[in-house]
């Protein structure tokens, strides 16, 4: 189990080659043969790409997803903070040097994938747009801006239909990637919503360390070792002991008693579904899982939907896999969905507390660095090609 957790964390850093990194670079995801990847992805007619925050948890996953999906690119810039400038990154058999992010970094870039935090997005996202770049932003900086589409490609691709790359007679623009818990939830719930219209949704999350970045994963591993060794756990990223514990999500708590992570689920669902009436409530919890979030979702529908119909709808939904084996008591787990693209759904059952087949309970797991962040953003970039 410990080895598996390490593998999940180390996978994030498989392409970095600086010897100043905190942990070994093993357990790389199996890749296509280099010859295939270079022929397919590095192409003169592809866009010029910038990866902002390339040394982070999401940034490293961007590279993995770009390569796995053979995203065509003419050139690629690796951007991070001054701390990382000069580090080397191996990507598709080439060596790249990480550059310090500045506004000038975006000269000549067509599409930028941002994952360096909200303040960097606010500061440099508009500077990139001014230079004609289409920015796909992973932070919460622009998600609720009415001018900025908030997109899950399987759910609301139409929201970004007006945006084109400058090489394709477009101009600079911002597109926001939703919060990871929102993406995972709506991947599973939207197909049911289309069938019977969700009027109320109650979400309880079980969120992994990776959602808080590379340093949080490192802290969970360190604390686990410390507690097993009978030592006092080191608490730097989170205020409380994380190993062998769980706690309310570390996002700031607002005046209404909800934390910001919970309110993202409420507000982003309404924006993505373009439905200001849907009622959403959420409780977000950090659990000592290395990678991939789980969510329990209770649904109330306008029209009846029985559990067999729901199961069939979910089996046919893009990006969703059903794991719902009642006989063997086998349902989705974070470990099983780690490093996978699909969101897994199980525990599909009628909510006994609601009459007339108007309620369902489901349990959803998804890799929030992949579909909850990097994969979703790369899918958005693919829609621009
Ligand atoms: N982790 C997730 O599951 C997830 C999911 C959805 C969205 N997001 C969002 O994605 C963003 C990054 O998250 P993460 O988990 O990847 O965090 P992380 O592992 O801590 O990585 C942060 C990245 O940002 C870079 N950075 C920090 N300050 C910078 C600066 N002043 N200039 C340029 N680059 C800077 C870091 O570069 P250095 O290495 O040089 O410091 C690093 O590459 C956050 O906005 C987060 O909310 C994360």
């Amino acid at each position: 189990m410990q080895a598996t957790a390490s593998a999940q964390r180390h996978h994030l850093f498989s392409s970095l080659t600086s010897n100043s990194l905190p942990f070994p670079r093993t357990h790389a995801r199996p890749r296509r043969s280099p010859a295939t990847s270079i022929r397919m992805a590095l192409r003169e007619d592809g866009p010029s790409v910038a990866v902002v925050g390339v040394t982070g948890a999401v940034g490293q996953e961007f590279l993995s997803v770009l390569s796995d999906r053979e995203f065509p690119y003419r050139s690629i810039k690796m951007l991070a903070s001054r701390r990382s400038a000069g580090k080397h990154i191996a990507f598709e058999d080439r060596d790249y040097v990480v550059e310090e992010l500045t506004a000038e970094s975006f000269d000549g870039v067509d599409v930028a994938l941002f994952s360096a935090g909200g303040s960097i997005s606010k500061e440099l996202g508009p500077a990139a747009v001014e230079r004609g770049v289409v920015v796909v932003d992973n932070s919460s900086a622009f998600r609720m801006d009415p001018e900025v589409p908030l997109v899950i490609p399987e759910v609301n691709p139409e929201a970004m239909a007006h945006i084109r790359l400058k090489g394709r007679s477009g101009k600079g623009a911002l597109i926001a990637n939703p919060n990871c818990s929102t993406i995972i939830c709506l991947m599973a719930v939207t197909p049911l919503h289309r069938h019977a219209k969700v009027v109320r949704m109650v979400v309880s999350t079980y969120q992994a360390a990776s959602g808080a970045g590379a340093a949080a994963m490192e802290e969970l591993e360190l604390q686990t070792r410390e507690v097993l060794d009978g030592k006092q756990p080191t608490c730097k990223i989170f205020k409380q002991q994380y190993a062998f514990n769980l706690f309310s999500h570390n996002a700031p708590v607002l005046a209404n008693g909800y934390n910001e992570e919970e309110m993202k689920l409420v507000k982003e669902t309404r924006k993505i579904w373009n439905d200001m009436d849907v009622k959403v409530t959420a409780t977000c919890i950090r659990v000592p899982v290395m990678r991939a979030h789980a969510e329990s979702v209770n649904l109330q529908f306008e029209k009846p939907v029985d559990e067999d119909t729901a199961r069939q709808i979910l089996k046919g939904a893009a990006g969703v896999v059903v794991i719902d084996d009642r006989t063997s008591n086998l349902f989705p787990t974070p470990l099983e969905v780690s490093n996978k693209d699909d969101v897994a759904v199980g525990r599909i059952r009628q909510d006994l507390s609601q009459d007339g087949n108007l309620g369902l309970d489901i349990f959803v797991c998804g890799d929030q660095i992949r579909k909850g962040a990097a994969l979703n953003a790369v899918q958005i970039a693919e829609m621009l090609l």
Side-chain angles (χ1 to χ4, degrees), residues 4 7 15 17 19 26 28 42-43 51 61 68 101 104 107 142 203 218 228 239 248 256 281 289 309 311 329 343 383:
T4 310
S15 67
T17 57
N19 57 11
T26 52
L42 184 61
R43 291 178 7 187
V51 179
E61 199 66 25
D68 288 351
L101 173 69
E104 288 69 41
D107 289 336
F142 305 107
V203 188
E218 199 182 349
L228 289 174
K239 293 187 295 230
S248 186
N256 65 2
T281 185
V289 164
T309 304
R311 200 171 287 108
N329 203 346
V343 165
M383 291 199 296

Side-chain angles (χ1 to χ4, degrees), residues 306-336:
D306 63 74
E307 59 187 36
D308 290 334
T309 304
R311 200 171 287 108
Q312 286 316 311
I313 290 169
L314 289 167
K315 278 182 180 166
V320 173
V321 62
V322 172
I323 304 174
D324 202 32
D325 184 348
R326 293 180 180 180
T327 314
S328 309
N329 203 346
L330 281 177
F331 301 105
T333 66
L335 261 188
E336 203 162 357

Side-chain angles (χ1 to χ4, degrees), residues 53-59 80-81 83-84 101 115-118 120 138-139 143 180 210-214 368-369 372-373:
V54 71
T55 51
V58 177
S81 77
R83 293 178 292 276
S84 302
L101 173 69
S115 69
I120 299 293
N138 257 289
S139 79
R143 286 181 191 148
C180 46
S210 54
Q368 95 297 332
I369 304 185

Side-chain angles (χ1 to χ4, degrees), residues 18-41:
S18 163
N19 57 11
S20 62
L21 286 162
F23 19 72
R25 296 170 296 278
T26 52
H27 309 286
R29 179 200 302 275
R31 300 285 169 106
R32 299 180 310 278
S33 73
T36 311
S37 59
I38 288 169
R39 192 172 61 243
M40 298 300 292

